[in-house]
């Protein structure tokens, strides 16, 4: 499990339209202290699920063949919940669905918005550039 990926019957399903911090990605809280934002985002998703049944509607597969879909627990859209709590970003280039949830979290400085963090797609791109050197 990650902050934007869960396992359904042993198969990974990525929550469509969101992007959460990646393994190794750090962020800072409002006081400038470093946090393992990947671990926190993963824990937040796990707490939303607990031991409850998750239902997913698979919409497509990404370029790596991974399933993408909308997943719900007790009728709650997990992607929207993660973005509204500030522990994932709306991936607007893929879907505009969670822009209002992100605006809510940002305006209230929730989760990642409380401090400093690089958006995961920017972090991945920077990591690739640094490894290419």
């Amino acid at each position: 499990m990650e902050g934007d990926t869960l396992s359904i019957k042993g198969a990974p399903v990525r929550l469509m339209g969101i992007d959460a911090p990646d393994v190794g990605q750090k962020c800072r809280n409002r006081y400038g202290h470093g946090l393992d934002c990947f671990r926190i985002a993963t824990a937040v998703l796990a707490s939303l699920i607990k031991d409850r049944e998750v239902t997913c509607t698979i919409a497509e597969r990404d370029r790596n063949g991974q399933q993408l879909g909308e997943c719900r627990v007790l009728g709650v859209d997990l992607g929207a919940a993660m973005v509204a709590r500030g522990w994932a970003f709306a991936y607007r280039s893929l879907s505009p669905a969670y822009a209002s949830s992100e605006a809510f979290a940002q305006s209230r400085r929730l989760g990642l918005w409380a401090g400093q963090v690089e958006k995961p797609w920017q972090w991945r791109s920077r990591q690739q550039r640094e490894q290419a050197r």
Side-chain angles (χ1 to χ4, degrees), residues 26-92:
K26 306 292 183 209
C27 54
R28 298 194 176 280
N29 68 12
R30 68 185 78 219
Y31 307 107
H33 298 119
L35 302 172
D36 183 343
C37 47
F38 166 80
R39 186 184 56 75
I40 296 168
T42 300
V44 170
L45 181 58
S47 74
L48 289 168
I49 295 170
K50 295 186 180 144
D51 290 326
R52 296 184 288 249
E53 182 181 354
V54 178
T55 57
C56 296
T57 303
I58 304 303
E60 60 186 80
R61 290 185 180 269
D62 66 14
R63 64 181 179 268
N64 301 317
Q66 187 175 28
Q67 297 181 97
L68 296 170
E70 181 184 284
C71 298
R72 294 178 175 271
V73 169
L74 300 174
V76 175
D77 178 342
L78 293 172
M82 287 296 291
V83 173
R85 284 167 175 72
W87 291 106
F89 295 96
Y91 211 152
R92 289 191 177 110

